[in-house]
Each structure stands twice: as structure tokens, then as C-alpha cells.
Amino acid sequence: MKPKDFDQFWAGIESDLNSVVPAPELKELPIRSKPQFTVYGLWLSSVKGYRIFAYYSVPKGEGPFPVIYHLPNYGSVVHIPPFEERCKYICVALCHRGQRLSDEPFVAAYPGLLTLGIEAAESYIYREIAGDCLSVMDFLKGREEVDVERICLLGGELALWTAARRSEAAALHYTPALHYNSLKRASQTSNYPLEEFNDHLRGSASHRLYVEKTLSYFEPVHHAPQVKMPTMLVEDSVGFCDALVEAFAGPVDRVPFQHSSYRDGVRQANWIADRLNNGQPILPAHWC
Amino acid sequence: MPKPNLSAHPTEVVKPDDFDQFWQEIMAEVDSIPLNATIELDPLRSSEEVEVFEVKYDSLDGLRIAGWYCLPRERDIPLPARVFYPGYISEPTLPKSHAAQGYATFGAAPRGKLRSNGTFNPGYPGLLTHNINDRDHYGYKGFYIDAVRVIDFLLEQPEVDSDRIGIQGSSQGGALTLVVSALRQQVRAASAGAPYLAGVVDAFKLTRTYPYEEINDYLGIQPEHSSAIANTWNYYDCFNFAERIQCPIIVYIGLQDDVCPPETAYPLMEKIGTSNKKLYEYEGHGHDANHHEHDHVVDAFFDDQLKPVRS
């Protein structure tokens, strides 16, 4: 069920962000730059003044350029965006607080991060992580090399939450991850990371009440009505997203996850290029 | 354009004359280091079916290495064991679900991984090129040994059947599987997916995808180090460990893998010492190597080789 103070909760994150001076710093990383693009380290302040890091790669040539904003997956390491993407797009890859390169002073534990502070929505770590994701989007909007009308968000719920609050993004490529229908899915597995929820719930039925309440602020079905841009929704299995897909405000391309980094990768590259009107994508040699 | 013949790609990997001596000396040093293993129950991660323990043990260079050790609560000892080695950027596995299937399981966290990175922490990117010009201090030297020491830990556990140890992993986990099964003959079965660190000097010229791209990045600013890198890698390449592998082994690859080029899997299979080996090639798959379907093959392989008893 959607909490009554859902909008107020998310407005609180925006308010926290607005109270921080982002103070972005860009520093070239020469070892990662190539004749086709320049790679920078980006540091900026997010919620509570925490300094976060992102890779920021800009193609050589005359901009402005379309952007692929990679929202991070669950894990300590964030890869530099693919070489082929960096040739044609500005690519941003955020390391949210706790992930490597954004791990001072907070080092995220795996397992552990998924339930950190879950006793209340206000203390749940993903409240601040959501702020990290929004702050990078705000950075992009102020850059002259960025074509602000051609930004694609790519990822799981971090991308969805960002899309719901930053409607200027042109496209969302969304693969439901750990915060979609979490407790039901956790009850059907003993594999991590979802097992983290089971670990937390084991031992006391009373835990379930506050976990359910906290997760309701992050549940995708409550955010989808704010997502107006074209969305590609990648479903794990048939019917996996039946309830969710109806909730989106904008058009949704509903496609099955093919369990193939090659087939899923080619489809993703083509869809993003099409949405951002950026010609044929460059693909890795082994995909051609 | 016709597809290149993936199985005919030539390799530039050379086996140094003193390869065996190099590793013999390292293993002699390793064998002189007591494990000093500690095993601590983790009540939060334990369940009705499985007990989870955090393990720490000593390894090369005086480092303390972590790992997850899982045991079925109802166990018919001695148990067969399965070790899970991690990929380059992935977190170490906490293998509870396989413990529930009647195995003692171990999720390895070699140096640099979370919980094993207090002293050594080259980062990602970073590990692949850490001291890459120096074979004696290369980052993967200790990393390989930390993986080997998992077998030594299991051999010390009274509940583990030392004749039924299997190891597995994909990508870097596949590489560690190959290296450990070569350096510890007590390994009885092995499964390597999309093996990384095999044919390295060939691979980084075939792809622009990380982690191999780290070498291209490095050579982009220090091209004069090209031969030194090749020299170091000849001591670490899985090709040069492969002939020592004597246990049954299965390998699986995706034929559109842009991370670990499939071209490198064919010379690897030729070099693997045992005749009890099988390569699974998956058309239409990249670095996932079709693990979604192939995991069932892996489970059946270990069940057949290690014969767990299920309660």
C-alpha cells in the first residue's frame, strides 16, 4: 500500500539535496582517456554533504552530446562504461555512497547494505542513495556539453526513482531489481542479495511490519505514475511485471529478459540509440 | 562478412622454461605458512537449514584472508565440499543454497575483495595491472595463493571428505578454478565458466571491454612496458597451468563473449591435462555463458562426481 506521506517523504530528500552545495570537481583520468573520448573523475556533494564519485566520459568533438547515465547495480564495484558507448555518448557511471570510490567514510557491506537502517524509511540507506542518484542528474543539467533533451537513465530501481523525480530525462531503460516486490520474491529464494531480507526477518515476526512499511516508500509501482518518458521494461519472466506495467504514466516497451548479455545488450544499445536519435550504436566486435 | 573461426585463433602465450620452478618455490613458501584459521558462527546469516561461518586464514605476505563457510545443519559426515570463486568485480558468494543440498560450501574472498582488503586494495580497475611489470610482486600472485589456501582450509576440517572436493566459478572465478585445480591435486572435480586470465596476451587485443581493457589503458600511457607485461603474464596465464589439471573438468563459454573472448577457450581445452574434460559452447550468449540454463549442468556434474547425501 502506498504510504500517505509518500510524497512528503520524497520531498524531504529533495529538500536535503537543496540544502547542500554540490561543489562538483572534475579531474581528467588520463589512463582511461582515448583519442575518441576524455574520461574524468567527478566528485560532488550529495545528501548530508557526502562526497560521491562518478566516472564521466565525454566524446571528442563538438557537442552537445546525448547521455547514458548508468545507475549502479548492487555490489561494491562500478565498472567504467563500455568503450563503444563512450565513443558516441557522454557516459556517467555513479558510485553511490558506500561503493568503492565513494567509500569514505562509509564502506557498504555485501551482504548488509540492503537492510541497513531498514527499521524506518527515514533511516534506510536507500533514502540517501536515492539522493546520490538525483544529485548527478542535477549536475548533468548544468553542463554545456550535455544535450539535456537526450538523457537516458539505465538501471534498476535507482534509475526508476530518478526518472520519477527528473522528468526531463528522455528515456528510461529499467530492469526491475531488488526493490520490486521484494518480500514476496525473497520468500521464494535463499540466494543473495534477496536473502538479506530473509536474514533480517528471521527471528521475529514484528520485524516484518516495519520492513514492509519502509519498502513501501521505494516500491516501483508507487513511482511509476510519475514516469512519463518512454520506458523499456525488461521482465524477468512472463507476468513478472503485470501489476507494475499498468502504473507507468508514459509509453512502455515491455520485453523479456533473455538471460544473454549479448542479446540483451544488443537490444538495449539499439533501443537507446533510437530513443536518443543517435544513429547506429557501436557494438563490441564479438556482438557483430 | 564471414564469421572468424574462433577455434583457430593463434596464441602468443609462451611457457617460460622456469615456470614450474617459479611456482614450486612459491608453493614451498606457502606450505610453510600455518593457516591459523578461525571459524566464527554468523547467527544473522544462518538459517533453519544452514549454519554460516565467517572464516579467516593466513596467506602469503602475512595477509589475513576472509571467506564464507556454510554447513547443512542436518549433515551426514563426512561431507563433500564445493568452493565458489568470485568474478573480477563480483562480491564473494555466500553459498547457502548449495549447503542446503548436502555440501560443505565455501565462498572465497581473495585479497582485495571486501573483508580481505585491509592491507592490499588495488581496486577495480587496478588489480589486473597492479605491479604487472614484476612477476615476483604481481597482484595476482597472492590472489592465486589465497584461492589455493581455501583447499588447505577444507582439508583441515573434520567434517569434510578430503576425497570429495569440487571447485567452481565463472570469469575470474573460472580462472581461479583452473589455477587451483592445477596447484592442488586434492581437487576432485572442477567447473569453469567463461574463463578469464587464459591467453591474456591474446585477449586484450581481441576486446575493448573491462577488465582486459585495463591492460590497453596501461599500455596507452606506458607502451614501452609491452614486453614486460607479456613476460609477467607467461608466469600467470591459465594456459600454462592447464596441463597439470588431472581432475574431471567442464568448461562453458558464450560464443559472443566480449569480456573473455571465446577464441581463448579452445587452446585452453587443448592444454588441459586430463582426458575427462568437456567444453560447452553456447551460441547467442556473451559473458553470461548461458549460466541461467547451464547451472543445472554444473549441479548435476558435481552431484555425480561428489555424491552428496540429502536429508
Side-chain angles (χ1 to χ4, degrees):
Chain A
M1 188 181 294
K2 186 176 181 179
K4 288 178 182 169
D5 62 346
F6 179 89
D7 293 334
Q8 186 182 341
F9 172 80
W10 283 90
I13 298 174
E14 300 282 11
S15 175
D16 285 357
L17 269 183
N18 289 336
S19 70
V20 172
V21 178
E25 294 176 80
L26 279 173
K27 184 176 175 186
E28 187 183 348
L29 306 175
I31 190 171
R32 310 295 169 208
S33 294
K34 296 285 186 299
Q36 299 91 333
F37 46 76
T38 306
V39 179
Y40 301 89
L42 165 65
W43 292 261
L44 54 83
S45 295
S46 176
V47 173
K48 295 184 179 173
Y50 196 101
R51 294 293 278 178
I52 54 171
F53 174 86
Y55 292 106
Y56 186 67
S57 180
V58 181
K60 293 278 175 66
E62 197 170 330
F65 300 100
V67 178
I68 300 177
Y69 176 12
H70 293 255
L71 284 300
N73 294 323
Y74 192 71
S76 65
V77 179
V78 171
H79 253 321
I80 300 169
F83 173 90
E84 293 80 7
E85 267 184 23
R86 284 183 283 158
C87 292
K88 289 193 77 170
Y89 297 90
I90 289 177
C91 293
V92 196
L94 165 67
C95 307
H96 66 61
R97 66 188 62 203
Q99 293 184 305
R100 288 175 188 261
L101 303 175
S102 295
D103 55 355
E104 290 183 10
F106 168 58
V107 181
Y110 298 91
L113 184 74
L114 195 53
T115 58
L116 185 63
I118 201 168
E119 292 78 8
E122 287 291 332
S123 61
Y124 191 34
I125 188 65
Y126 277 90
R127 182 187 186 279
E128 293 173 8
I129 288 172
D132 298 344
C133 301
L134 296 173
S135 67
V136 170
M137 189 67 185
D138 293 340
F139 165 82
L140 290 172
K141 289 189 293 185
R143 300 294 300 181
E144 63 180 19
E145 69 272 18
V146 166
D147 184 341
V148 292
E149 295 183 351
R150 291 197 293 164
I151 298 175
C152 179
L153 304 170
L154 174 62
E157 278 75 50
L158 304 186
L160 178 75
W161 302 334
T162 305
R165 323 236 94 69
R166 296 292 182 271
S167 60
E168 54 273 44
L172 166 66
H173 190 284
Y174 169 50
T175 305
L178 300 174
H179 288 90
Y180 173 59
N181 208 4
S182 305
L183 295 188
K184 182 179 178 187
R185 290 167 55 220
S187 71
Q188 297 163 348
T189 185
S190 60
N191 289 329
Y192 288 91
L194 284 171
E195 177 71 356
E196 290 188 38
F197 290 120
N198 298 327
D199 290 344
H200 192 86
L201 294 173
R202 198 176 295 117
S204 173
S206 66
H207 295 174
R208 188 171 188 92
L209 293 174
Y210 67 70
V211 171
E212 280 180 347
K213 183 171 184 195
T214 296
L215 291 178
S216 68
Y217 291 86
F218 299 88
E219 181 60 46
V221 73
H222 302 324
H223 292 272
Q226 303 302 316
V227 178
K228 301 178 178 67
M229 68 281 289
T231 296
M232 176 166 270
L233 174 64
V234 184
E235 274 193 288
D236 189 58
S237 56
V238 174
F240 185 65
C241 293
D242 279 352
L244 175 60
V245 73
E246 299 298 326
F248 280 87
V252 178
D253 289 333
R254 189 178 181 182
V255 296
F257 183 49
Q258 300 173 91
H259 300 281
S260 162
S261 55
Y262 156 62
R263 290 195 297 258
D264 291 310
V266 170
R267 183 180 61 196
Q268 172 186 301
N270 283 325
W271 188 84
I272 292 173
D274 196 30
R275 294 284 83 71
L276 299 187
N277 193 23
N278 201 30
Q280 285 293 309
I282 302 173
L283 298 173
H286 287 85
W287 292 6
C288 299
Chain B
M1 197 169 74
K3 281 243 176 214
N5 184 353
L6 297 176
S7 64
H9 193 81
T11 179
E12 295 179 21
V13 176
V14 174
K15 187 169 185 179
D17 292 340
D18 62 346
F19 178 88
D20 291 335
Q21 184 187 344
F22 177 72
W23 282 100
Q24 193 174 2
E25 289 173 4
I26 293 170
M27 295 311 291
E29 181 184 353
V30 169
D31 291 342
S32 73
I33 303 170
L35 270 177
N36 294 320
T38 57
I39 307 173
E40 189 174 341
L41 180 70
D42 187 333
L44 174 64
R45 303 296 168 205
S46 297
S47 65
E48 288 179 5
E49 291 182 303
V50 176
E51 288 182 298
V52 176
F53 302 87
E54 177 153 30
V55 169
K56 294 201 171 155
Y57 58 86
D58 288 345
S59 187
L60 212 54
D61 310 316
L63 266 63
R64 198 88 176 132
I65 305 301
W68 296 111
Y69 184 48
C70 303
L71 294 172
R73 284 194 190 272
E74 288 187 30
R75 44 190 182 250
D76 188 4
I77 59 174
L79 294 164
R82 278 168 77 173
V83 178
F84 296 78
Y85 290 116
Y88 191 73
I89 66 165
S90 60
E91 302 307 327
T93 304
L94 205 168
K96 268 159 85 168
S97 55
H98 288 91
Q101 298 297 309
Y103 291 96
T105 60
F106 196 101
R111 64 191 60 194
K113 290 288 184 188
L114 292 182
R115 301 181 303 121
S116 299
N117 62 348
T119 304
F120 178 84
N121 195 20
Y124 302 90
L127 173 62
L128 184 57
T129 56
H130 183 79
N131 290 338
I132 196 170
N133 290 326
D134 179 356
R135 66 165 200 177
D136 294 317
H137 299 94
Y138 184 40
Y140 268 108
K141 178 180 170 185
F143 199 91
Y144 280 1
I145 296 305
D146 300 342
V148 167
R149 300 284 275 181
V150 174
I151 306 304
D152 301 345
F153 168 81
L154 292 173
L155 292 171
E156 283 191 356
Q157 306 314 306
E159 66 273 11
V160 169
D161 184 341
S162 58
D163 282 330
R164 290 192 291 160
I165 296 175
I167 64 177
Q168 66 186 95
S170 193
S171 193
Q172 179 184 260
L176 294 174
T177 295
L178 295 163
V179 170
V180 173
S181 54
L183 291 175
R184 282 290 182 251
Q185 295 300 315
Q186 294 92 337
V187 173
R188 290 290 182 263
S191 167
Y196 176 54
L197 308 182
V200 170
V201 295
D202 311 319
F204 75 79
K205 296 169 188 162
L206 288 165
T207 182
R208 303 310 305 263
T209 304
Y210 288 97
Y212 281 129
E213 182 69 357
E214 286 186 34
I215 296 179
N216 290 320
D217 286 351
Y218 184 90
L219 289 173
I221 60 168
Q222 301 193 80
E224 69 279 13
H225 290 176
S226 176
S227 61
I229 287 174
N231 180 60
T232 295
W233 261 103
N234 284 332
Y235 288 91
Y236 289 88
D237 201 288
C238 288
F239 282 8
N240 292 336
F241 286 99
E243 68 181 20
R244 296 184 181 199
I245 298 172
Q246 296 302 318
C247 65
I249 184 167
I250 56 175
V251 178
Y252 56 103
I253 59 172
L255 297 183
Q256 283 78 31
D257 189 343
D258 64 310
V259 179
C260 296
E263 291 91 331
T264 59
Y266 297 96
L268 171 70
M269 291 306 294
E270 276 187 26
K271 292 170 191 291
I272 287 176
T274 180
S275 59
N276 193 345
K277 57 186 173 183
K278 184 170 182 181
L279 176 68
Y280 294 81
E281 303 155 89
Y282 288 108
E283 176 64 37
H285 285 272
H287 196 51
D288 62 287
N290 196 25
H291 77 84
H292 177 67
E293 293 180 340
H294 187 81
D295 282 353
H296 302 295
V297 176
V298 173
D299 285 341
F301 169 75
F302 282 116
D303 284 353
D304 183 51
Q305 296 291 331
L306 304 178
K307 298 185 172 34
V309 176
R310 296 199 169 122
S311 54

